[in-house]
Amino acid sequence: MAELSISAIICTHNRDQYLGAAIDSLLAQTLGDIEIIVVDNASTDMTAEVVQQRLSDPRLRYVYEPVLGLSSARNTGAKTAKGDILAYLDDDAVASNQWLAALLKIYLNNPKVAIAGGKVTLLWPPGVSQPPLWLSQDLASGLGAYDLGSQVRYIQNPSLTPRGLNYSLRKTFLDSVGGFDLNLGRVGNNLLSNEELHMTQVAIKRGWQVMYVPDALAAHNVAPARLKPGWFLSRSWWQGVSECYREQVSGCAGISQLRWGGERLVRGVYKTVKYANKPAQRFENLTYAYGQLGYISSVLRYLVKPPAKPPSTKPNKPAKSSAA
């Protein structure tokens, strides 16, 4: 069995209050021969100082990336890394001490695995012991929660793809697709997403495998600002924008996107009214409907001014999406 090396990468932007714990969780890994890279993505807080305090450990490296954007930072981390496997941990997450070992084992045992990610639990902010009444279990997954059970399983449905906060790829696969798409992934305060879903679609289409690894456990800190309805509405809007772009790069751009978005908008509004007396279901469907407005607005912008070169010419059925 060929030996593989692994690099852990934290891409960070103005999260100095959480970053130290994330780095420390990587320094405490049971796997010995690892590389840890912190990519400082144009931070203006104390990020550099937080990393500096730990640079006496030879496993840790610091890289500054001035171009703002998560995908840009991830690509910089990948280019810097020496490992065969790239394991990405969010700057506000904490990895269990066997996180890297569990991920590496999957790649060692199966050369066809391109992507693997683990279970994610939530760490509520001080004074909060449970989610608010208006927050459904499905919406809570938007905070990073991810649990497909206690057994390793193949991911064949892209909507079940591993969370980006606990995420790994085989470097040869990432290189073969040209890295992360710079048009997807968070940039500053916007909440663009879907880069992992898109990557899973590409991997499966090319004959690779995507895995869920429950032992690769990480916990995600829920910032107090994310327990406000406005954050979920904003996230849903950007989710709609992201989904529109993902369809376009899959070759699905066109007037039919307006029909899809319109149908989903009507369904979301209908269910918002239907569950008027059930706070969690009502708000979940309201955010769903609001996300369709983001989707439709993005479609209209594309139709008014399409790109000079379409990203793809091959048709591909869009991922199904439905309200609760």
Side-chain angles (χ1 to χ4, degrees):
M1 185 181 297
E3 290 296 323
L4 294 175
S5 58
I6 190 165
S7 297
I9 303 170
I10 297 176
C11 299
T12 185
H13 174 70
N14 288 344
R15 288 262 180 79
D16 57 3
Q17 72 271 38
Y18 296 119
L19 180 59
I23 298 173
D24 291 343
S25 73
L26 295 180
L27 294 173
Q29 292 295 297
T30 57
L31 194 63
D33 187 16
I34 61 173
E35 174 186 52
I36 303 168
I37 300 170
V38 175
V39 180
D40 182 351
N41 191 203
S43 296
T44 56
D45 60 0
M46 301 291 288
T47 288
E49 288 80 358
V50 171
V51 182
Q52 182 66 40
Q53 293 168 7
R54 295 162 172 81
L55 278 178
S56 58
D57 192 305
R59 295 172 295 173
L60 182 61
R61 301 172 64 189
Y62 172 87
V63 179
Y64 185 81
E65 171 51 63
V67 178
L68 191 61
L70 178 57
S71 289
S72 177
R74 283 176 166 174
N75 287 339
T76 294
K79 292 173 185 176
T80 304
K82 300 175 182 177
D84 303 298
I85 308 302
L86 309 173
Y88 291 92
L89 181 73
D90 268 15
D91 54 3
D92 54 357
V94 177
S96 56
N97 61 7
Q98 80 282 3
W99 181 62
L100 288 175
L103 289 174
L104 185 59
K105 181 179 179 182
I106 289 295
Y107 291 96
L108 285 169
N109 290 338
N110 187 345
K112 291 183 68 66
V113 174
I115 300 168
K119 183 184 295 187
V120 179
T121 58
L122 298 180
L123 296 173
W124 301 104
V128 178
S129 58
Q130 58 185 11
L133 293 177
W134 50 263
L135 184 60
S136 68
Q137 185 174 353
D138 283 347
L139 272 186
S141 68
L143 297 172
Y146 180 65
D147 186 350
L148 300 183
S150 58
Q151 301 296 318
V152 173
R153 61 180 285 187
Y154 293 102
I155 302 298
Q156 297 175 312
N157 181 351
S159 66
L160 297 178
T161 196
R163 296 288 183 265
L165 68 94
N166 177 353
Y167 189 76
S168 67
L169 308 94
R170 195 179 296 269
K171 191 173 184 179
T172 53
F173 165 72
L174 184 63
D175 289 342
S176 74
V177 300
F180 288 94
D181 190 326
L182 298 181
N183 292 293
L184 292 174
R186 184 169 302 186
V187 180
N189 292 324
N190 81 31
L191 298 175
L192 279 168
S193 58
N194 275 15
E195 63 272 35
E196 293 89 19
L197 188 153
H198 174 63
M199 200 68 79
T200 288
Q201 285 187 314
V202 172
I204 293 173
K205 184 176 181 180
R206 295 189 178 193
W208 289 90
Q209 294 177 353
V210 180
M211 304 290 292
Y212 164 72
V213 189
D215 289 343
L217 176 67
H220 187 230
N221 281 288
V222 178
R226 296 187 179 187
L227 289 179
K228 297 178 180 179
W231 184 86
F232 285 91
L233 290 171
S234 178
R235 181 183 184 277
S236 187
W237 175 279
W238 285 106
Q239 179 71 21
V241 173
S242 302
E243 178 61 13
C244 175
Y245 178 78
R246 187 197 62 78
E247 289 176 355
Q248 290 165 4
V249 299
S250 298
C252 295
I255 195 71
S256 56
Q257 287 182 293
L258 287 180
R259 176 173 57 83
W260 301 333
E263 290 173 352
R264 294 193 295 258
L265 174 61
V266 170
R267 185 160 62 246
V269 171
Y270 168 74
K271 290 192 174 183
T272 299
V273 175
K274 177 181 178 180
Y275 295 113
N277 296 323
K278 297 182 178 180
Q281 288 175 289
R282 180 181 68 235
F283 185 67
E284 179 180 338
N285 285 284
L286 175 63
T287 59
Y288 176 83
Y290 192 70
Q292 301 317 307
L293 292 176
Y295 175 91
I296 291 170
S297 70
S298 188
V299 173
L300 290 172
R301 285 194 298 272
Y302 177 89
L303 293 176
V304 170
K305 190 177 180 180
K309 266 189 171 183
S312 172
T313 57
K314 294 182 180 180
N316 187 26
K317 188 177 179 181
K320 293 183 179 179
S321 179
S322 61

